[in-house]
Amino acid sequence: MTQLTIALTKGRLEKQTLALFKQAGIDVSFLQDKQRKLIFTSPDHRFTFLLVKAADVTTYVRHGVADLGIVGKDVLIEHPFGYYEMLDLKIGTCKFSVASTKNYQPNDYKRKRIATKYPTVASEHFRKKGEDVEIIKIEGSVEIAPVLGLADAIVDIVETGTTLRENGLEIFEDICPVSARVIVNKAMLKRKRQAIFQLIDGLENVIEGGETI
Ligand code: PRP
């Protein structure tokens, strides 16, 4: 039996990911009531799950500590190297948008300051439009940047739209949709090919509405 180590994104995506694994016939009950523990091995020793921050999923997979990872496309765009992206799980769906306060003038000729946790996504978006902007990288609570005058607008993830609304912002432009992906370490895809594809096929069957493994 081939053992697989899987890095999962802690937090928002965690519940939906585990539900998907369960539907694919993988017993994840040992992850319930987990309290502050971060490494879990299934009773049959087939799977080890690591619970890590989204951006660290790519690091664990790139270094081969995890064979696979489950992480949002938003993170993959910012950390694009050292793994294969294998499957869109169609969970954790949201989008990248440009947002600001209602008096924002996207088409005036002023050089815009754009606050974001996602500098690659933001600069690529404005580069494609032929617009020269200043990117201001911040780590969170991005929505307050235009309100406080740090930036003219933000590029951020919008899921329900609640954070924008509650901070008096609105969407001016959608950039692209985002969802969770399965990524795989390049060397492990060769070494553990059968086990990895068995898992991926099982997950794919569930999301396509087919039979569970
Ligand atoms: C993300 C994102 C938005 C919010 C969008 O932040 O950066 O702030 O979620 O979700 P909504 O449209 O459902 O309101 P996160 O919760 O990860 O927190 P952070 O700002 O501290 O990074």
Side-chain angles (χ1 to χ4, degrees), residues 49-74:
F49 290 100
L50 317 177
L51 291 180
V52 298
K53 281 215 157 210
D56 297 332
V57 170
T58 58
T59 307
Y60 280 100
V61 171
R62 197 170 54 243
H63 287 271
V65 172
D67 304 308
L68 301 101
I70 312 288
V71 63
K73 182 69 180 175
D74 52 325

Side-chain angles (χ1 to χ4, degrees), residues 12 117-118 139-143 156-164:
R12 269 187 208 224
K117 284 188 279 185
Y118 301 93
E139 299 300 330
S141 305
V142 188
E143 289 81 359
D156 200 17
I157 292 286
V158 179
E159 191 179 356
T160 61
T162 309
T163 316
L164 290 184

Side-chain angles (χ1 to χ4, degrees), residues 61-208:
V61 171
R62 197 170 54 243
H63 287 271
V65 172
D67 304 308
L68 301 101
I70 312 288
V71 63
K73 182 69 180 175
D74 52 325
V75 173
L76 300 184
I77 297 173
E78 292 292 328
H79 304 269
F81 305 111
Y83 53 81
Y84 294 124
E85 184 183 324
M86 303 290 288
L87 181 66
D88 181 352
L89 291 175
K90 298 182 179 156
I91 56 171
T93 49
C94 49
K95 61 184 177 180
F96 274 118
S97 301
V98 179
S100 190
T101 49
K102 66 174 183 320
N103 53 358
Y104 175 55
Q105 300 290 333
N107 298 320
D108 68 14
Y109 289 102
K110 194 181 144 219
R111 185 176 184 240
K112 307 286 185 306
R113 290 162 305 148
I114 306 295
T116 188
K117 284 188 279 185
Y118 301 93
T120 306
V121 176
S123 49
E124 196 49 18
H125 172 68
F126 286 101
R127 189 192 60 75
K128 279 188 194 149
K129 288 168 49 124
E131 205 178 323
D132 178 38
V133 298
E134 179 191 349
I135 303 292
I136 302 175
K137 169 84 161 66
I138 45 182
E139 299 300 330
S141 305
V142 188
E143 289 81 359
I144 62 173
V147 177
L148 300 176
L150 176 69
D152 299 298
I154 63 170
V155 164
D156 200 17
I157 292 286
V158 179
E159 191 179 356
T160 61
T162 309
T163 316
L164 290 184
R165 248 187 336 270
E166 293 196 353
N167 290 286
L169 304 191
E170 54 190 65
I171 293 175
F172 281 82
E173 206 178 349
D174 286 333
I175 300 178
C176 64
V178 169
S179 57
R181 309 295 160 103
V182 178
I183 61 168
V184 176
N185 174 273
K186 290 183 171 179
M188 292 305 170
L189 186 61
K190 293 197 187 94
R191 217 177 295 166
K192 299 185 175 181
R193 188 174 184 83
Q194 201 186 339
I196 288 172
F197 272 103
Q198 191 187 350
L199 174 64
I200 288 174
D201 288 349
L203 293 170
E204 195 169 14
N205 275 343
V206 174
I207 56 184
E208 299 302 337

